[in-house]
Amino acid sequence: MNKIKIFFPLVPVLLRQGRGGFGLKSVESDHPVFIDLIYQMVEGVNYVKSQVSVKGLIVTLMLSLMILMSAIGVVHSSHLSRQLFAEQSLLLDRNDQLQLEWAQLLLEQSAWSSPDRLESVATSELNMKIPEAKDINLVY
């Protein structure tokens, strides 16, 4: 980084001496200031290009791509996790409803199958009666 800071003040001097990287010749003193800035930027890019290796650039780009893919994977897995949590919540609510219904059905079954109710239905609807002791035969 220090090389770049030192280099930029030297760019106008190098350009005026005709040592530009793209074959730039000396800059006339009557040109506007922005042309000097353009020459400085071109020389700065050339200098940075000469200081950066292609191999390092490729490695950096590959690592950046891997970081980007990892970030997308984290976002995707978080999204799936939230969807599955919402689905689990709905299923737990449904489970609670079914358990409540099952408990009500068990109560209804016990009410319908109680001995007192069976006896009342047998006597009222089927005209059944409890047999007397002399009418009962025991089988051994």
Side-chain angles (χ1 to χ4, degrees):
M1 188 71 181
N2 290 334
K3 290 181 182 179
I4 294 174
K5 288 180 182 177
I6 293 170
F7 178 73
F8 278 113
L10 296 176
V11 170
V13 174
L14 291 174
L15 288 174
R16 286 190 182 99
Q17 292 176 359
R19 294 187 179 145
F22 286 111
L24 300 173
K25 300 299 179 194
S26 63
V27 178
E28 300 293 327
S29 61
D30 59 342
H31 285 313
V33 175
F34 74 91
I35 292 178
D36 282 338
L37 291 175
I38 292 173
Y39 286 137
Q40 287 177 4
M41 288 191 321
V42 169
E43 286 301 317
V45 168
N46 275 341
Y47 178 74
V48 169
K49 188 173 79 171
S50 69
Q51 298 297 318
V52 175
S53 70
V54 174
K55 190 177 197 180
L57 185 63
I58 290 173
V59 169
T60 303
L61 289 175
M62 292 300 287
L63 289 174
S64 299
L65 182 63
M66 290 174 72
I67 289 171
L68 180 66
M69 290 171 54
S70 174
I72 290 172
V74 167
V75 168
H76 181 67
S77 65
S78 296
H79 177 68
L80 285 178
S81 174
R82 288 185 182 123
Q83 277 184 334
L84 291 174
F85 182 76
E87 184 179 350
Q88 179 191 21
S89 176
L90 291 174
L91 291 174
L92 286 174
D93 289 343
R94 180 70 177 140
N95 185 33
D96 291 342
Q97 290 173 355
L98 289 174
Q99 283 186 353
L100 180 65
E101 184 179 347
W102 176 251
Q104 289 173 348
L105 288 173
L106 285 177
L107 282 174
E108 187 176 344
Q109 180 188 14
S110 68
W112 283 93
S113 65
S114 71
D116 292 333
R117 184 182 180 287
L118 288 176
E119 185 177 344
S120 68
V121 168
T123 55
S124 65
E125 292 180 16
L126 300 175
N127 296 325
M128 298 177 87
K129 60 181 179 169
I130 298 175
E132 295 182 18
K134 65 178 181 164
D135 295 333
I136 297 175
N137 293 327
L138 296 177
V139 178
Y140 295 102

